[in-house]
Amino acid sequence: MTSIGPLPATASGHAPSVRAAERLLSRAHTSVEGLFRAVDVLDKERRAANASPKGRSALAEMDVLRSAVIFTGAGLDATMKRLVNDVGRALIAGGATGARANFESFLKAELAQPKVPDGLRDAILHVHPDQSLLAYFLAARTKASFQGSSDLSSRVRQTLGIPKSAVPDTRLESLDGFFVARNNIVHQMDIEDPSSGSVARIKRSPVQVATDCGEVFAVAGLLIRAAAAVCRKAGV
């Protein structure tokens, strides 16, 4: 059976603010594993119906593989957004050095713009400006989907003050191929050359898709465990 592998180990120790993100990642992992089981069933049925057990994957199998990529990307987005919201709020409110510095740097950059954004102005004038400014910052960090390793670096690792030694650039960059594949599927129907008149679509092997999706779950788990370590160090 083609598999993305087991779910990464959960964060150990006291780190309540990462638990919701862990649950989201687990549910996404279960959904994606189910899609790979469906691919295996379709593959066996096709081989049993053919005169030869060999042959290319059917269109239905390829589309289920594409669905696995989309579900994995959605799981990553949902998990990282929850992680940034829950852990970011705890760390910044608790005065954690790295997260607090990133928060203050963001606000200084916003205030330095020729025109202060309306949302920031409203947050400053709010009856509880400390809470509204934090909400404004976290909304900015989580409003869009993650498009590559640079997003994970700036919007997750830096936001939460996670050291590079805990989640190296090389691990984040290992997902860039996955992001390209997801965007090709979502925005271009996985067509090989959208600029041509051809409607031929990119062919993906179950093993390669499983490897790419498995790495997404592995890196997401690594970020969660690193965030938990930051929380424990900050005492939040």
Side-chain angles (χ1 to χ4, degrees):
M1 172 184 166
T2 306
S3 172
I4 56 177
L7 190 68
T10 57
S12 60
H14 181 73
S17 57
V18 308
R19 300 309 175 196
E22 286 182 331
R23 289 193 295 273
L24 280 172
L25 190 65
S26 177
R27 290 175 184 176
H29 185 272
T30 298
S31 295
V32 175
E33 276 280 67
L35 290 171
F36 278 100
R37 285 195 295 272
V39 169
D40 281 340
V41 170
L42 290 170
D43 178 71
K44 289 176 182 177
E45 289 180 347
R46 172 177 53 80
R47 292 178 188 276
N50 290 346
S52 169
K54 297 181 180 180
R56 292 182 178 178
S57 297
L59 293 177
E61 294 168 49
M62 294 302 299
D63 281 340
V64 176
L65 287 174
R66 293 182 180 107
S67 297
V69 173
I70 293 171
F71 266 71
T72 299
L76 178 68
D77 279 340
T79 299
M80 292 299 102
K81 287 179 180 181
R82 179 60 65 88
L83 186 71
V84 169
N85 266 308
D86 292 355
V87 176
R89 190 175 304 279
L91 289 173
I92 294 168
T97 305
R100 185 77 196 183
N102 186 271
F103 169 60
E104 292 176 358
S105 177
F106 170 84
L107 292 181
K108 288 176 182 177
E110 291 284 278
L111 290 168
Q113 294 187 44
K115 182 180 183 299
V116 175
D118 291 339
L120 178 56
R121 183 183 295 106
D122 292 342
I124 293 171
L125 296 174
H126 194 274
V127 64
H128 297 297
D130 53 341
Q131 298 175 20
S132 58
L133 285 170
L134 180 53
Y136 176 81
F137 169 69
L138 294 173
R141 285 290 187 258
T142 59
K143 67 181 179 182
S145 64
F146 294 89
Q147 296 298 315
S149 57
S150 60
D151 265 359
L152 291 175
S153 173
S154 62
R155 294 168 52 198
V156 180
R157 189 175 65 184
Q158 291 179 26
T159 296
L160 302 181
I162 296 172
K164 285 187 178 182
S165 58
V167 185
D169 287 338
T170 52
R171 288 307 302 273
L172 299 182
E173 291 164 0
S174 71
L175 304 188
D176 283 335
F178 169 85
F179 283 112
V180 171
R182 184 190 68 174
N183 288 341
N184 282 339
I185 294 167
V186 172
H187 301 297
Q188 299 174 160
M189 283 290 291
D190 222 15
I191 293 175
E192 288 182 351
D193 185 1
S195 64
S196 73
S198 171
V199 293
R201 301 171 78 186
I202 297 171
K203 296 177 178 61
R204 306 182 186 281
S205 75
V207 172
Q208 186 56 57
V209 175
T211 299
D212 291 346
C213 291
E215 179 66 2
V216 171
F217 283 102
V219 172
L222 184 61
L223 284 164
I224 290 174
R225 292 193 298 276
V230 173
C231 287
R232 288 193 297 272
K233 184 177 180 179
V236 298

